[in-house]
Amino acid sequence: MTAQDAVRRVTRRRAQTRANLLDAAFAVFAAKGFGRVSIEEVCEAAGYSRGAFYSNFATLDELFFALYQDRADLIAAQVADALAQEGGPDLDVPASVDRVAEVLLLDVDWLLVKTDFLVHAAREPEVARALLDHRARLREAIADRLSRARGHTALPALLGDVDGAAHAVVAAYDGVTTQLLLDKDVDAARTWLKQLLTALLTDGSGTPV
């Protein structure tokens, strides 16, 4: 084995350790609540020592942000791809909204974890600032895709611009997922999300304005 092969092997092993810690943390957070979980419990669930944890994350907050970023990237891609069909001559808003409602991440366990962390962040200014930054990146990704389609389909004037539209899309998702946490009805959440996005991004009847 060459030195380069050895480095690649270590890099792969480190990446797998990180992924295993994230998976274990997600399961423990969802079962017990973010604020009720210790680093030791995450390590035990993943089958690693505290040393393995600290070689990847400084704190549980940092580990959570890694989880959050993965899902923020996924949600941004799902929404943006559906709303701004790159490569096509036009943006078909009603069809795009249908796709968003069908593919968007609506996972109750993730929402439980995220809600716990939001409460934690609300009491910790530094954590709140970091979380706000992550949410801003999500909105920016959506706004960027919408801006590319702006010349094909106008957005409702009430939203102001693509930044306003991105805020509205994220707010709609937040509202729908809050209801989902209470009733656990994923099908109803997808239907409600479709109705909200249709109302926000069209004249309400499915016709772009």
Side-chain angles (χ1 to χ4, degrees):
M1 179 185 296
T2 67
Q4 189 174 25
D5 289 337
V7 170
R8 289 197 187 108
R9 184 174 180 180
V10 170
T11 300
R12 284 196 300 270
R13 185 167 63 246
R14 181 181 176 86
Q16 187 61 56
T17 298
R18 179 183 173 88
N20 290 343
L21 283 166
L22 288 170
D23 288 344
F26 179 84
V28 177
F29 288 163
K32 299 187 65 174
F34 175 81
R36 299 179 180 87
V37 173
S38 67
I39 289 174
E40 287 79 8
E41 287 173 297
V42 172
C43 292
E44 182 179 355
Y48 293 123
S49 67
R50 286 174 63 93
F53 180 94
Y54 285 118
S55 70
N56 287 276
F57 306 103
T59 63
L60 283 176
D61 286 357
E62 183 180 316
L63 181 152
F64 176 84
F65 282 129
L67 279 174
Y68 186 90
Q69 188 63 60
D70 285 347
R71 282 154 180 79
D73 288 345
L74 173 61
I75 293 168
Q78 289 172 331
V79 174
D81 286 346
L83 292 179
Q85 307 163 43
E86 290 187 79
D90 295 295
L91 175 64
D92 184 341
V93 173
S96 296
V97 167
D98 284 346
R99 279 193 296 277
V100 167
E102 289 301 319
V103 305
L104 188 62
L105 178 66
L106 291 173
D107 178 75
V108 173
D109 282 345
W110 165 241
L111 297 174
L112 285 169
V113 173
K114 186 179 79 166
T115 301
D116 279 341
F117 195 78
L118 284 170
V119 173
H120 169 62
R123 295 187 173 92
E124 298 289 341
E126 289 188 13
V127 179
R129 282 192 292 272
L131 190 55
L132 285 169
D133 179 63
H134 279 282
R135 288 174 64 83
R137 292 180 193 175
L138 171 60
R139 292 193 302 269
E140 287 167 6
I142 295 169
D144 177 64
R145 299 291 184 88
L146 287 173
S147 67
R148 299 181 204 178
R150 198 174 186 181
H152 301 301
T153 301
L155 294 169
L158 183 64
L159 296 178
D161 55 19
V162 291
D163 290 328
H167 272 83
V169 169
V170 173
Y173 176 77
D174 286 343
V176 166
T177 53
T178 297
Q179 181 67 26
L180 177 58
L181 274 174
L182 299 175
D183 63 23
K184 307 294 192 298
D185 190 337
V186 174
D187 290 338
R190 293 197 186 281
T191 298
W192 181 225
L193 183 65
K194 176 181 176 181
Q195 293 170 345
L196 278 177
L197 292 180
T198 297
L200 283 169
L201 299 174
T202 72
D203 63 3
S205 65
T207 303
V209 297

